[in-house]
Amino acid sequence: MKKNLRVLTGLVLLVSFGCAEQQNFDQYDDISVTPTLEGSLLYVETPESEINQASGGNFIVETFNFDAFTEGFVSDNLLDGSITYQLENTTSKPLELQVEFLDEGGNVLDTELFSLDPAPTAILNREVAYGMGGRSIDIIRNTSAFRLTATNLGDSSSTSAEPQPRFIFRSSAQFRIELKG
């Protein structure tokens, strides 16, 4: 018992007078947490047969609600990022696509316009930056919906020789958000 008491006393003295750095518990205040979040935004696919059946040339006129950017925490802490668009046209028609960024009142904040030649063409890729060095980040912060308008600039009777001719639109976003700074 006396031996255990001596060992315990020795350990207490060693810890008390041993080499130890003074702890800085205020380091939490110096931490910055800024992850990059990435995800899909929109995906639309239209077969050529539906494009041929559309009257008035427009084969897509659709508004997609998207309130993720306008949510208070996200909007207040969004730093910068980009939206990547990928368009594929394997139809026999020249096509045009307009993407409009809308605020809660339906006002247009920004527009992207794409022109696609008939097949065979390469996949069109475009990346648009927002924030530092790009367009205003306020466009993204205030976007609550996207409106897509796709137009057939060709005829409505021809059909591509491709096995499954179609128009495909994909988009994704990658943004940095400050969680703690």
Side-chain angles (χ1 to χ4, degrees), residues 1-9:
M1 187 76 98
K2 267 188 169 183
K3 185 177 183 183
N4 287 341
L5 185 59
R6 278 190 234 157
V7 171
L8 183 60
T9 304

Side-chain angles (χ1 to χ4, degrees), residues 51-72:
I51 295 170
N52 282 338
Q53 293 172 8
S55 61
N58 291 340
F59 61 94
I60 298 173
V61 179
E62 190 75 37
T63 301
F64 299 90
N65 186 27
F66 193 82
D67 289 324
F69 295 135
T70 59
E71 191 277 319

Side-chain angles (χ1 to χ4, degrees), residues 86-136:
Q86 188 178 67
L87 290 83
E88 186 175 352
N89 181 18
T90 58
T91 73
S92 62
K93 290 127 188 38
L95 304 174
E96 185 176 271
L97 177 73
Q98 180 173 299
V99 180
E100 295 173 300
F101 293 66
L102 307 175
D103 66 12
E104 288 181 5
N107 301 304
V108 176
L109 301 171
D110 197 17
T111 302
E112 277 298 313
L113 188 61
F114 303 90
S115 295
L116 299 154
D117 291 328
T121 59
I123 294 174
L124 173 70
N125 291 294
R126 183 183 299 171
E127 183 174 352
V128 179
Y130 293 88
M132 198 101 128
R135 295 180 185 174
S136 172

